Amino acid sequence: MSDTRTAVDEPLAVVCGRGSLPYAVADAIIGRGRPVTLFPIVGWADREAVARYPHYWIALGQFGRFRRLMASQGCREVILIGGLTRPSIQQIKLDWTTLRLLPRIVRAFRGGDDHLLSGIAAIFAHAGFRVVGAHEVAPEILAPAGPLGERQPTARDQADIDRGLAVLSAIGPFDVGQAAVVADGRVLAVEAAEGTDAMLARIADMRRQGRLDGKSGVGVLVKAPKPGQDRRFDLPTIGPTTIDASGRAGLAGVAVMAGATLIADHDAVVAAANRANLFVVGTREQAAGPE
Amino acid sequence: MSDTRTAVDEPLAVVCGRGSLPYAVADAIIGRGRPVTLFPIVGWADREAVARYPHYWIALGQFGRFRRLMASQGCREVILIGGLTRPSIQQIKLDWTTLRLLPRIVRAFRGGDDHLLSGIAAIFAHAGFRVVGAHEVAPEILAPAGPLGERQPTARDQADIDRGLAVLSAIGPFDVGQAAVVADGRVLAVEAAEGTDAMLARIADMRRQGRLDGKSGVGVLVKAPKPGQDRRFDLPTIGPTTIDASGRAGLAGVAVMAGATLIADHDAVVAAANRANLFVVGTREQAAGPE
């Protein structure tokens, strides 16, 4: 190993949480000619997906082990990607390095998800690693502006999108979720700790129970980053399952923030949208207000 | 029937939606010496509870029938009370009077619940009825200030209450729900179309699935009226089932706005709170911000 190689030659460490996104990111990085080393987290990362890449399993709390492995791989840059629901105490295996960092970590775990992730990033930075975002190393997995599939949003859909963005902007300071569902001007659901899929399942349930007005094919899932969010991690993400769940919820489509939303599998998202006749659109940021 | 009698002598018309609240209100009015005539809505009101009072069933859309019955009973004041989830088209039976009002009603049904209820109230007012609120005719069913049961909120609970009130204040302009759950500073859930019980069931589910940090006995259900809401209808309501559901969600207690929340059954609420060791507290309104 030579000290003259640049950050772009050395393997990028990918700390993998739940879902398919870590592998989409890893593939994009590899596609750009840079090697990766995966650090899947025990209990969250997908065992089968991980097997296709050089990898070292780590448990939450094994920061010392992580740091040693990073050094042995010559990694200085790290990306944190994939869902990381709050761990139960049983999933945490503390090593000595982590134990010394514990007061800092405990502070990070209090409050909302933003604090958790920015706290972890601060710990990584403190240890000399550079935390990078998917948008820096794999911009092709970000949502582009405009419609992704065949269907386009109507003026009514656009009004729902605008209202959804305004709701998300209003709750942004509270570190709540990054998604809402608006149908014909009415806010049907606001995401908090339950996640987007659970929120969409709830809309589907209400529709089945006749608790919505029954009209299907109206309404939009709107996802957006929190205002002021550090976009290196926890950007809103959609994948084919998001589209399928939106279809089951009887929505007209999905709107995400162009350039600030990760798409786990672009082709599958477009195929799912066309199959279910939903629009998927990347929108521009805008000023937000209640009306 | 004499024209000299006052509004307080004539029967108060109680239009009854879902739940036990209409009967708590009716009992309180009767307890004050005023007769009532119930107008239970087909598909929402409780058949058994209604039987104890003079009543006339009405279907949604039978505004002409309602107006005739009101005249025959000598009623001029009406209270609209109880849950009224959005009807399906099958539940609506249009008479001619309603048909003429249809453009106005359709406008009321678009947008959020506020519009629906204020639209209906406007239609009643337009027909010469005075729409009164439960707080005017039965103030004893409003939540008082301070704790209702044995347990009292701690300073940490109070911080969660303040944060919950701030979240509700932020989403108020969007005509969303009237409740949120905050635990240890983290917003776990925001209510929209699903209702409070469904929101609490979701917290219980997440806790069972280990998706929350597992600590039980922390967190507060906060309910508050929307800012600027017409308090004659759709005030936030709690009853014993709210307390039981909060207990199953592993919360520490329930906070409502004193003087602006209906309590469906005060004694049963206190008993349920003491049984589950939850606090139930009526709080004062306050300035709200994200932190």
Side-chain angles (χ1 to χ4, degrees):
Chain A
M1 294 194 191
S2 154
D3 271 348
T4 60
R5 63 185 185 171
T6 66
V8 179
D9 296 324
E10 69 184 28
L12 180 65
V14 182
V15 177
C16 310
R18 203 194 293 279
S20 61
L21 197 60
Y23 318 106
V25 170
D27 290 343
I29 296 163
I30 293 166
R32 289 171 167 252
R34 183 167 180 188
V36 297
T37 301
L38 267 51
F39 292 90
I41 302 178
V42 178
W44 279 275
D46 180 339
R47 206 155 272 284
E48 220 169 295
V50 160
R52 293 183 282 125
Y53 308 85
H55 67 274
Y56 300 93
W57 286 92
I58 47 170
L60 277 185
Q62 296 185 319
F63 191 70
R65 172 176 154 81
F66 173 76
R67 207 161 60 172
R68 281 193 304 277
L69 288 166
M70 285 286 278
S72 79
Q73 298 294 306
C75 296
R76 285 173 297 182
E77 290 191 339
V78 59
I79 176 167
L80 311 168
I81 193 116
L84 190 64
T85 42
R86 312 194 127 214
S88 67
I89 200 78
Q90 293 92 330
Q91 288 175 286
I92 297 177
K93 305 213 180 312
L94 287 183
D95 62 18
W96 284 108
T97 306
T98 312
L99 207 56
R100 279 195 301 274
L101 290 168
L102 209 56
R104 186 193 288 264
I105 292 168
V106 167
R107 277 197 304 276
F109 268 69
R110 292 175 71 99
D113 284 324
D114 268 3
H115 300 128
L116 176 58
L117 288 158
S118 55
I120 290 175
I123 292 161
F124 278 61
H126 188 73
F129 301 121
R130 196 169 94 81
V131 180
V132 299
H135 60 291
E136 298 172 67
V137 291
E140 58 270 45
I141 69 160
L142 292 175
L148 264 71
E150 287 159 17
R151 185 164 164 186
Q152 310 233 357
T154 63
R156 182 166 75 168
D157 296 329
Q158 190 58 51
D160 284 342
I161 292 168
D162 292 344
R163 193 160 176 84
L165 291 173
V167 168
L168 295 178
S169 169
I171 61 169
F174 297 96
D175 200 10
V176 192
Q178 301 172 296
V181 175
V182 180
D184 217 1
R186 185 174 179 223
V187 180
L188 297 185
V190 177
E191 178 186 334
E194 74 273 22
T196 304
D197 288 350
M199 179 181 65
L200 289 170
R202 171 160 100 236
I203 304 283
D205 280 349
M206 282 192 278
R207 204 177 280 287
R208 223 174 358 250
Q209 294 159 12
R211 293 185 54 205
L212 301 175
D213 62 5
K215 213 167 19 174
S216 198
V218 177
V220 180
L221 166 68
V222 183
K223 296 198 73 162
K226 295 166 197 164
Q229 176 177 335
D230 185 335
R231 296 194 173 178
R232 285 177 304 170
F233 30 74
D234 198 34
L235 278 183
T237 303
I238 60 166
T241 59
T242 318
I243 308 304
D244 292 343
S246 298
R248 283 193 299 273
L251 303 184
V254 175
V256 298
M257 206 71 93
T261 308
L262 302 175
I263 300 193
D265 185 338
H266 185 281
D267 295 347
V269 163
V270 171
N274 289 343
R275 199 167 49 234
N277 190 30
L278 297 185
F279 65 80
V280 178
V281 68
T283 77
R284 298 290 185 192
E285 306 195 36
Q286 56 171 29
E291 280 300 346
Chain B
M1 291 193 191
S2 155
D3 272 349
T4 60
R5 64 184 186 173
T6 66
V8 178
D9 296 323
E10 68 183 28
L12 181 65
V14 182
V15 176
C16 310
R18 202 194 294 277
S20 60
L21 197 60
Y23 318 105
V25 170
D27 290 343
I29 296 162
I30 293 166
R32 290 172 167 250
R34 182 165 181 190
V36 298
T37 300
L38 268 51
F39 292 90
I41 302 177
V42 179
W44 279 276
D46 179 341
R47 206 153 272 283
E48 220 169 297
V50 159
R52 293 185 280 125
Y53 309 86
H55 67 273
Y56 300 94
W57 286 93
I58 48 170
L60 278 185
Q62 295 185 319
F63 191 69
R65 171 175 155 83
F66 174 76
R67 207 162 60 174
R68 280 192 306 278
L69 288 165
M70 285 285 278
S72 79
Q73 298 293 307
C75 297
R76 283 173 299 182
E77 290 191 338
V78 58
I79 177 167
L80 311 168
I81 194 116
L84 189 65
T85 43
R86 313 195 125 212
S88 67
I89 200 77
Q90 293 91 331
Q91 287 174 286
I92 297 178
K93 305 212 180 312
L94 287 183
D95 63 17
W96 284 108
T97 305
T98 313
L99 207 57
R100 278 195 302 272
L101 291 167
L102 210 55
R104 185 191 290 262
I105 293 169
V106 167
R107 277 196 304 275
F109 269 69
R110 292 176 71 102
D113 285 324
D114 268 3
H115 299 128
L116 176 58
L117 288 159
S118 56
I120 289 175
I123 292 161
F124 278 61
H126 187 73
F129 302 120
R130 196 169 93 80
V131 179
V132 299
H135 60 292
E136 297 173 65
V137 291
E140 60 269 45
I141 69 161
L142 291 174
L148 263 70
E150 288 159 16
R151 185 164 166 185
Q152 310 233 357
T154 64
R156 182 166 75 166
D157 296 329
Q158 189 57 52
D160 284 343
I161 293 170
D162 292 343
R163 194 161 175 81
L165 290 174
V167 169
L168 294 178
S169 168
I171 61 168
F174 297 96
D175 200 10
V176 190
Q178 300 170 298
V181 175
V182 180
D184 218 0
R186 185 175 179 223
V187 180
L188 297 184
V190 177
E191 178 187 334
E194 74 274 23
T196 304
D197 288 350
M199 179 182 65
L200 289 169
R202 172 162 100 233
I203 305 283
D205 280 348
M206 282 193 278
R207 203 176 282 287
R208 224 174 0 249
Q209 294 161 9
R211 292 185 56 204
L212 302 175
D213 62 7
K215 214 168 14 173
S216 199
V218 177
V220 180
L221 166 68
V222 184
K223 296 198 73 161
K226 295 164 197 166
Q229 176 175 336
D230 185 335
R231 295 192 175 180
R232 284 177 305 168
F233 30 72
D234 198 32
L235 277 183
T237 303
I238 60 165
T241 58
T242 318
I243 309 303
D244 292 344
S246 298
R248 283 193 297 273
L251 303 184
V254 175
V256 299
M257 205 72 93
T261 308
L262 302 175
I263 300 194
D265 185 339
H266 185 280
D267 295 346
V269 163
V270 171
N274 290 344
R275 197 166 53 233
N277 190 30
L278 296 186
F279 67 80
V280 178
V281 68
T283 77
R284 298 287 183 194
E285 306 196 34
Q286 56 172 25
E291 281 298 347

